[in-house]
Every structure is written in C-alpha cells, then in structure tokens.
C-alpha cells in the first residue's frame, strides 16, 4: 500500500476543507497552542514510517495517556481486581461528567474517561514505589524512546485549575473506590496527562497495540494477547468521549483522543496512526483529526469492519 501517497492526498484534502473548532482553554497552558498546527504519522507493523506536516512537533497528549495507564495496570494488578472497580461500558456522557458517577455509586463506566482513569491511577499509586517515574519508564519502553517526558508547565497549569477532577475523585473516594490520598492520586493523574509527544512518537508507541502486545523493535512481549485485545476493544467503544459511536461509524478503528488535539488509532496487524490538530469539535475531539482518519480508512478501503 502506498501510504505516503495516501497521506499526501489526505493533507491536500484537509487544506481544501473548512474544519472548524476551538482549542481547549480550560487548561490555561493548552490555550497557548497555535490552532493551525496539523501533522500525521503512520507506523506500519513492519516498521515503515510515513508522515506529513507538523508530525515531529510535540504536543500535550492529555487523555491519550489513559491507554498507557490501563496497560500498566494490567501488568501491575490482577485483572479481576481492576474490573471490580471500573466498568467497561461506553459512557455516552462527557469525559468529566459527575452525574453518571453518582448514579453508579462511584464505579466509573470505563477506564478511558476521567473518573475511570483516576481509579486506574489509584491502582498504580498502590502498587508502584515511584508512580511518576515508573509510568514514564513504561511509556519510554514501549515507545522505544528515552527522551519522552512530562511537561511540568502543563501539569502545573492543570493542577491549579482542576476543580472538576478534584470534585470527581472526592466523590469516588466517598463511595470507597479510592484507596490512597486524593491529592497524591490527582497529582499523578495530572502528570500522566501532561506527557508531551509528537505524532511520530505516539504512532511508534501505539504500534504495540497493533502488534498483539509485542514491541516492534525486538518483538518482545510486553502485554498478553488477551490484554491487548481488551485495550483495543475499550478504545473502540470508549475512546472518544460521547462520540465513540461517531468515530466507529466514520473511521472504523480503535483509537483514543485527547483535548490537546491528538488522536491515535490502530489497525490490528497493520499499522498505528497519530494525527494532531488542536481545534476541537463540541465533543472535545480534533475536527481535522477525525476527518484525516476517516479519509485514511476511506481511501485505503479498509478498516476493522
Ligand atoms: N487532563 C484532562 C482532564 O482531566 C484530560 C482531558 C482529555 O484529554 O480528555 O480534564
């Protein structure tokens, strides 16, 4: 498949379309990003790399980090114990909704919304000696890249303003589903969200989920096949806030988005692909990012469906 030719066509088409949206501003540091950035990178499972635009520039991956948190939880905690505390159903609600959490008595709908990720972070805080460092080491390992790091400014900016997440974790704690100190868990959660990565780095990190849980560099297994299946299934059904159905419908690949404007998607046994454009639609997903991935599966004529 001529992926580079296809990416070039996508770049041209995006330039000719009116793809509006708003940059996230509720985290003050994110509001400073140039809204016109656009980049895309595809890594195939045989290690080929294709890209265009600002694909080498790092941005705030935000909720995309929730996928790596879940992967690390699979390695550190017995699986049944995870599912006693978090469900695996799409939420159909915004990523930071408190209403559903109250109805469901502190059991978050899935690990890819904020409430679920907070519980996953609590599990990691319980099991890891130095969660911040060990999480970073894990991401660097699956990325095959030791330069990936947190962005302290973004983390600080969110720590100062994260009222909704603070309310949420206290509510969950009230229902007995947070074991550790809420501030310690929140701090770790905000750090994970502040990871700064480029489209190239994201595609190279997520290729493990297209490669049945094995690292591309040496084919060493990091995640079991079953855990890889579960992560992909949860991305498919829960990876796009209350727009997961729309993303499935238009793109047809498992993926995850973040309010920094990044989206990463995988095609099992074929490729992983990351796209970045900071302008978000009203559901919080990158407008141009969704369109780029829709074009990719349309032009290649293949998706998991
Ligand atoms: N750190 C953000 C928050 O907790 C992540 C949101 C997102 O990317 O969906 O609100």
């Amino acid at each position: 498949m001529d992926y580079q030719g296809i990416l070039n066509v996508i770049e041209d088409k995006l330039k000719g379309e009116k793809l509006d949206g708003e940059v996230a501003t509720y985290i003050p540091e994110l509001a400073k990003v140039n809204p016109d950035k656009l980049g895309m990178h595809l890594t195939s499972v045989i290690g080929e790399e294709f890209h265009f635009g600002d694909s080498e520039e790092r941005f705030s991956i935000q909720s995309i980090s929730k996928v790596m948190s879940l992967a690390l939880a699979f390695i550190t905690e017995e699986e049944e114990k995870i599912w006693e505390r978090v469900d695996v159903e799409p939420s159909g609600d915004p990523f930071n909704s408190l209403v559903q959490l109250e109805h469901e008595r502190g059991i978050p709908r899935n690990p890819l919304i904020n409430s679920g990720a907070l519980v996953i972070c609590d599990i990691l805080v319980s099991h890891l000696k130095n969660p911040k460092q060990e999480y970073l080491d894990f991401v660097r390992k699956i990325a095959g890249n030791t330069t990936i790091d947190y962005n302290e400014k973004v983390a600080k900016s969110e720590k100062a303003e994260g009222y909704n997440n603070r309310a949420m974790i206290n509510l969950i704690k009230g229902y007995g589903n947070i074991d550790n100190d809420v501030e310690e868990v929140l701090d770790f959660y905000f750090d994970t969200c502040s990871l700064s990565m480029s489209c190239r780095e994201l595609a190279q990190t997520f290729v493990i989920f297209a490669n049945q849980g094995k690292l591309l560099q040496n084919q060493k297994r990091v995640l079991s096949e079953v855990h890889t299946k579960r992560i992909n299934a949860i991305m498919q059904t829960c990876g796009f806030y209350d727009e997961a159905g729309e993303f499935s419908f238009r793109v047809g690949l498992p993926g995850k988005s973040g309010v920094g404007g990044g989206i990463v998607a995988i095609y099992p046994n074929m490729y992983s692909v990351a796209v970045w454009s900071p302008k978000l639609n009203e559901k919080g997903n990158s407008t141009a990012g969704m369109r780029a991935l829709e074009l990719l599966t349309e032009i290649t004529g293949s998706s998991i469906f």
Side-chain angles (χ1 to χ4, degrees), residues 26-27 62-63 66 95 114 158 165 189 193 241 257-259:
Y26 76 100
I27 301 173
Q62 291 299 320
S63 270
K66 293 176 167 81
F95 64 99
N114 287 13
E158 194 173 8
N165 285 315
Y189 168 77
C193 292
Y241 316 119
S257 70
V259 294

Side-chain angles (χ1 to χ4, degrees), residues 39 59-64 197 199 202 239-241 256-265 273-280 284-286 289-290 293:
F59 58 93
S60 193
I61 74 164
Q62 291 299 320
S63 270
I64 296 173
M197 293 168 75
C199 289
L202 269 177
F240 294 85
Y241 316 119
K256 181 73 196 93
S257 70
V259 294
I263 301 182
V264 57
V273 59
V275 54
W276 173 47
S277 163
K279 287 191 224 161
L280 310 179
N285 295 308
S286 168
M290 279 186 72
L293 294 171

Side-chain angles (χ1 to χ4, degrees), residues 5-264:
I6 293 169
L7 259 59
N8 295 342
V9 171
I10 294 172
E11 183 179 18
D12 279 352
K13 278 191 182 280
L14 292 178
K15 281 183 181 151
E17 293 184 14
K18 201 168 154 319
L19 295 161
D20 282 337
E22 299 289 329
V23 174
T25 53
Y26 76 100
I27 301 173
E29 204 56 32
L30 294 186
K32 298 180 183 167
V33 174
N34 176 351
D36 298 321
K37 292 286 175 185
L38 174 66
M40 188 166 182
H41 188 105
L42 185 149
T43 299
S44 78
V45 294
I46 53 168
E48 302 157 305
E49 311 280 357
F50 309 95
H51 51 92
F52 71 73
D54 303 307
S55 60
E56 298 277 333
E57 188 170 327
R58 286 181 171 166
F59 58 93
S60 193
I61 74 164
Q62 291 299 320
S63 270
I64 296 173
S65 62
K66 293 176 167 81
V67 181
M68 283 86 96
S69 305
L70 177 61
L72 186 55
F74 276 138
I75 295 171
T76 52
E77 174 65 292
E78 285 167 47
E79 202 189 324
E80 312 85 78
K81 292 198 176 149
I82 300 176
W83 304 131
E84 282 165 13
R85 300 181 54 186
V86 192
D87 210 341
V88 290
E89 295 300 334
S91 74
D93 263 336
F95 64 99
N96 55 4
S97 169
L98 284 159
V99 181
Q100 199 166 55
L101 197 55
E102 192 183 358
H103 273 302
E104 293 171 4
R105 309 195 62 78
I107 303 292
R109 269 287 169 106
N110 67 68
L112 299 186
I113 50 173
N114 287 13
S115 52
L118 287 166
V119 170
I120 296 293
C121 283
D122 183 55
I123 291 173
L124 295 177
V125 167
S126 294
H127 284 85
L128 305 177
K129 280 199 189 74
N130 183 345
K132 188 174 171 182
Q133 188 59 47
E134 289 175 56
Y135 177 85
L136 185 62
D137 291 342
F138 177 67
V139 174
R140 286 175 171 176
K141 176 179 162 186
I142 60 174
N145 181 334
T146 55
T147 70
I148 290 169
D149 217 335
Y150 300 115
N151 181 323
E152 299 297 341
K153 269 194 186 164
V154 172
K156 224 175 134 204
S157 169
E158 194 173 8
K159 282 174 195 177
E161 299 275 332
Y163 304 110
N164 209 303
N165 285 315
R166 197 158 271 115
M168 191 173 282
I169 194 166
N170 278 290
L171 186 62
I172 307 173
K173 178 100 178 166
Y175 283 112
N177 197 13
I178 292 286
D179 293 334
N180 298 283
D181 175 64
V182 290
E183 285 302 323
E184 188 184 354
V185 178
L186 262 183
D187 236 54
F188 173 52
Y189 168 77
F190 290 140
D191 285 329
T192 61
C193 292
S194 82
L195 269 186
S196 193
M197 293 168 75
S198 66
C199 289
R200 178 171 60 85
E201 290 164 342
L202 269 177
Q204 289 172 347
T205 304
F206 271 68
V207 80
I208 191 171
F209 304 116
N211 197 35
Q212 291 162 31
K214 292 176 289 178
L215 296 175
L216 210 58
Q217 309 94 285
N218 52 19
Q219 297 301 322
K220 280 208 179 117
R221 180 167 296 287
V222 173
L223 290 163
S224 71
E225 277 163 324
V226 170
H227 289 159
T228 310
K229 173 185 78 177
R230 300 219 195 293
I231 289 169
N232 290 340
I234 295 170
M235 283 202 280
Q236 185 74 47
T237 50
C238 311
F240 294 85
Y241 316 119
D242 43 342
E243 210 174 28
E246 178 82 10
F247 189 83
S248 257
F249 179 79
R250 283 175 50 191
V251 179
L253 297 176
K256 181 73 196 93
S257 70
V259 294
I263 301 182
V264 57

